[in-house]
Amino acid sequence: YEEEMTLGQIAELCYHITSTFLKLQIASTTELTRNTQEAVLRTRSYFLNDIFTQWDPLNSEISFAYNGGKDCQVLLLLYLSALWEHYMLGICKSQYDQAYHNFPLKKLPTVFINSNETFPALESFISMTVNRYHLSLYEDKKYGCSSDMASEFERYLELNPSTKAIVIGVRHTDPFGEKLKTIQMTDSNWPQFIRLQPLLEWNLANVWSFLLYSGEPICPLYRYGYTSLGGVNDTIPNPYLKREVVSDEDKTFKFQFELENSVGYSPENVTKRWETQDPNLIELGEQYLPGWYLLEDFKERAGRIKKC
Ligand code: FAD
Ligand code: MG
Ligand code: MG
């Protein structure tokens, strides 16, 4: 990831990722990939037809809640892709030639509530992706943070008053996620703004299908057995991924098609996407299968332990 792209260029790359994913030959795709293609189409339509028609993504009415996890990364790729389409559609309506237009955003408004003690590998993944995706990351830590998320967002809104809506990578299978809606107001005990949740219908397997296809870097913790990332003190690798307890059938990699067809794929470079120097992590890899071997949503948080 040496050469630095602009926000417009990375948005165009994300558009390339989604459009090539949608064109993958149906005949050779598994049912799971087909199902993920439908999920991509649905999320794309939420952004283009329901969200960007009400809130302008190009003038800081929309912010993005980002914590470096797989779900918000997938949603960020889809958001950037839709942003590119939205921008190109605007240009087509313009009387001026495409050459006279510049992508109007330099940075994407993003907010990270960093109150947990975060894994070093996640911290460095976040910094790397902040550069790669041109996020103007607001971090509450810099302001000395309180304990609850709602008041952190209250302060964010005070400091960023143009924000009307925030994109969140929550899914129906998350705790309390069952009844959420794609577009809804925050609850009454939260500061009032619109929640945009266009990833609700995705399941765990869809997330891995698309992320492994994307060719984008993936937080190395997932490679070493983690499936859901909380703080350092309350997160362990997922016990269902312990090599000694996994059945032979579940030891087969289900995303070979995605990986072999992934954007920019080469057999030599693929592991660079989740490379780490952290010896503790590498050691875990001997005991645990990668996070993407676990496909059942209800087991996703089995590595989250209660603080004693
Ligand atoms: P995760 O998979 O960890 O997170 C789901 C998504 O939440 C992520 O993809 C990311 O987009 C966002 N997110 C999670 N943690 C962070 C973080 N530390 N910093 C930035 N973004 C993060 N709950 C209510 O009960 N009522 C509400 O009105 C309400 N409004 C919310 C508004 C926003 C903008 C956010 C981010 C959360 C809100 N929540 C609300 C809480 C939300 O429903 C989830 O409980 C919360 O995001 C934690 O998710 P998780 O850890 O269960 O799952
Ligand atoms: Mg999640
Ligand atoms: Mg979380």
Side-chain angles (χ1 to χ4, degrees):
Y1 307 107
E2 275 78 46
E3 89 277 29
E4 170 99 3
M5 286 180 268
T6 64
L7 181 56
Q9 286 167 330
I10 191 83
E12 189 175 7
L13 172 62
C14 289
Y15 176 70
H16 173 77
I17 291 168
T18 54
S19 52
T20 54
F21 184 76
L22 292 171
K23 283 186 204 126
L24 287 173
Q25 278 304 307
I26 295 293
S28 54
T29 54
T30 61
E31 197 182 330
L32 198 163
T33 320
R34 238 191 319 265
N35 182 267
T36 308
Q37 287 176 322
E38 280 161 25
V40 169
L41 277 176
R42 198 178 303 133
T43 302
R44 170 183 175 271
S45 169
Y46 286 144
F47 278 130
L48 292 175
N49 302 323
D50 305 312
I51 294 176
F52 295 166
T53 48
Q54 296 188 68
W55 299 277
D56 188 348
L58 299 174
N59 76 354
S60 66
E61 283 182 5
I62 304 181
S63 278
F64 198 101
Y66 185 73
N67 65 355
K70 61 190 185 313
D71 306 295
C72 56
Q73 189 188 1
V74 159
L75 191 54
L76 181 61
L77 300 177
L78 296 165
Y79 183 79
L80 287 170
S81 168
L83 199 57
W84 182 256
E85 274 193 81
H86 178 76
Y87 162 68
M88 290 308 280
L89 288 169
I91 285 183
C92 291
K93 290 190 199 126
S94 153
Q95 60 181 314
Y96 299 106
D97 189 79
Q98 193 183 332
Y100 293 96
H101 293 272
N102 273 319
F103 194 72
L105 274 186
K106 296 273 175 287
K107 297 260 181 202
L108 209 64
T110 317
V111 42
F112 175 35
I113 307 306
N114 191 1
S115 37
N116 268 337
E117 200 175 327
T118 314
F119 284 95
L122 181 59
E123 291 268 2
S124 45
F125 181 77
I126 290 174
S127 330
M128 190 262 284
T129 48
V130 158
N131 289 328
R132 181 167 177 79
Y133 304 123
H134 295 268
L135 313 179
S136 73
L137 192 72
Y138 166 92
E139 267 192 85
D140 63 332
K141 228 175 205 169
K142 291 180 188 142
Y143 300 86
C145 46
S146 70
S147 51
D148 74 311
M149 227 170 166
S151 29
E152 294 305 310
F153 275 101
E154 189 162 2
R155 182 163 47 190
Y156 177 76
L157 290 176
E158 280 164 17
L159 295 170
N160 298 272
S162 61
T163 308
K164 296 197 173 126
I166 301 184
V167 184
I168 310 168
V170 67
R171 307 191 340 254
H172 277 314
T173 53
D174 286 328
F176 314 107
E178 211 177 324
K179 297 213 171 84
L180 293 173
K181 308 232 153 41
T182 304
I183 300 178
Q184 72 185 137
M185 201 65 183
T186 47
D187 292 326
S188 57
N189 54 339
W190 273 68
Q192 296 294 285
F193 59 86
I194 303 289
R195 284 180 279 177
L196 304 173
Q197 305 172 138
L199 201 71
L200 285 174
E201 290 101 339
W202 285 56
N203 55 39
L204 190 52
N206 299 140
V207 169
W208 290 128
S209 164
F210 187 73
L211 199 53
L212 287 165
Y213 172 79
S214 73
E216 288 298 289
I218 295 178
C219 177
L221 285 158
Y222 295 121
R223 161 65 181 80
Y224 295 97
Y226 291 85
T227 53
S228 167
L229 307 178
V232 171
N233 300 316
D234 58 10
T235 312
I236 56 169
N238 195 308
Y240 289 109
L241 288 173
K242 235 182 172 160
R243 288 177 193 271
E244 59 196 39
V245 309
V246 179
S247 69
D248 286 344
E249 153 66 9
D250 289 343
K251 275 190 183 122
T252 53
F253 178 52
K254 306 288 193 310
F255 301 104
Q256 198 60 33
F257 180 78
E258 277 83 349
L259 201 64
E260 278 173 7
N261 290 284
S262 61
V263 176
Y265 175 75
S266 84
E268 305 79 47
N269 284 344
V270 67
T271 57
K272 286 220 170 67
R273 291 174 57 191
W274 41 78
E275 198 165 60
T276 180
Q277 314 299 338
D278 187 336
N280 297 327
L281 268 188
I282 294 167
E283 208 182 302
L284 283 176
E286 284 160 27
Q287 289 181 57
Y288 293 91
L289 288 166
W292 43 83
Y293 281 73
L294 187 104
L295 304 187
E296 295 131 304
D297 288 273
F298 72 95
K299 293 180 179 169
E300 181 179 347
R301 286 171 192 259
R304 302 292 287 277
I305 47 176
K306 293 207 174 70
K307 273 186 193 153
C308 347

